[in-house]
Amino acid sequence: MIVQACINGARSADFHPALPLDADAMARDGAASVAAGAADLHVHARGADRLESLAPAAMDRTVLALRRACPGTLIGVSTGAWIEKGDLRTLVAIAGWHELPDYASVNLSETAAPVVMESLRQRGIGIEAGLASIADAERLISLDHGGRVLRVLIEISEQALDEAFAVADGIEKVLERAGIRRSILLHGENATVWPFVERAAARKLSTRVGLEDGKELPDGGIAAGNAALVAAAVTIYRAGR
């Protein structure tokens, strides 16, 4: 049961003044998030233009900077299909990484998810299986990868809370019926960030917070940055012990 920090995602610079968009900024932000209680980090590497990139130069620079700033902390990255805008480009990029992350998230909604998962596995990189719908969960269990992922990431985008909770419950039921007993990290985004933090804490599941998912604190105020969001989530977890 951990709090993960998702420090930037696909957000643009105008989302928040503290959004880290280069390797050095990510390293500083990652270290601050770990100091605030984050157990691991999820980042979207950026190229020299500060746009998301899976290219080896961007990925190697980012992972190395984070390793130096956060020794012993697990580092995860995204493999979202939108980043390289082509399945082959994604696979070529992964094959070229030298500084390997500990894990990478793979969205089961994406066509190439199975081959991306196999590519990561061949490189010794753990897989965080991203499930945003019941259909995603059903696809995961149809693959032989289902029981061999590092963890299952239940990430809910619905903003109406009842609908969001219903989707999350449906995903968990599919996994339970299939006997997939992997660690679960449960999170929402924007309006549902904190309800899902509380839900995850109550169910003794992992969660994540950070500027990728939202910038507001539980009281509705704007957080100074990722470390403040992490600290707020850790406080909720500690209160539930």
Side-chain angles (χ1 to χ4, degrees):
M1 192 169 74
I2 65 165
V3 174
Q4 179 189 85
C6 52
I7 64 176
N8 57 4
R11 302 285 190 181
S12 58
D14 60 0
F15 180 70
H16 192 285
L19 187 75
L21 295 175
D22 61 53
D24 290 340
M26 289 181 219
R28 291 191 299 270
D29 206 282
S33 296
V34 170
D40 70 32
L41 301 170
H42 172 78
V43 304
H44 289 223
R46 305 287 180 125
D49 56 5
R50 295 192 167 191
L51 298 178
E52 293 175 278
S53 177
L54 300 181
M59 189 65 67
D60 293 348
R61 182 170 56 248
T62 299
V63 173
L64 181 59
L66 286 164
R67 291 253 185 261
R68 289 172 172 168
C70 310
T73 300
L74 293 182
I75 308 298
V77 301
S78 175
T79 61
W82 67 87
I83 298 175
E84 291 298 323
K85 300 179 177 63
D87 296 340
L88 181 58
R89 287 172 59 88
T90 295
L91 295 172
V92 169
I94 292 170
W97 295 348
H98 296 289
E99 297 291 339
L100 300 182
D102 296 291
Y103 66 90
S105 61
V106 180
N107 301 314
L108 269 292
S109 61
E110 295 174 355
T111 302
V115 68
V116 171
M117 292 167 77
E118 189 57 37
S119 177
L120 293 167
R121 185 167 287 111
Q122 289 177 1
R123 301 227 59 198
I125 300 169
I127 296 165
E128 196 176 56
L131 310 180
S133 68
I134 293 171
D136 289 350
E138 291 170 341
R139 187 181 190 199
L140 178 67
I141 66 173
S142 74
L143 303 171
D144 65 348
H145 308 284
R148 298 190 289 133
V149 297
L150 172 67
R151 70 166 68 99
V152 173
L153 177 64
I154 299 179
E155 43 188 355
I156 304 302
S157 60
E158 285 78 6
Q159 294 297 283
L161 199 54
D162 288 349
E163 184 180 357
F165 283 166
V167 173
D169 285 343
I171 291 171
E172 288 188 55
K173 288 176 182 176
V174 170
L175 298 176
E176 184 177 354
R177 286 198 302 268
I180 294 181
R181 309 293 183 192
R182 311 311 293 170
S183 173
I184 292 176
L185 190 155
L186 173 67
H187 76 94
E189 65 178 35
N190 298 320
T192 66
V193 167
W194 297 107
F196 271 104
V197 170
E198 293 171 355
R199 183 182 178 92
R203 295 189 175 193
K204 300 192 182 303
L205 302 175
S206 295
T207 195
R208 80 178 199 188
V209 292
L211 293 174
E212 173 171 353
D213 290 343
K215 59 186 175 183
E216 293 183 352
L217 292 165
D219 64 5
I222 302 301
N226 283 305
L229 293 165
V230 169
V234 169
T235 296
I236 290 170
Y237 270 63
R238 288 176 176 166
R241 288 178 179 173

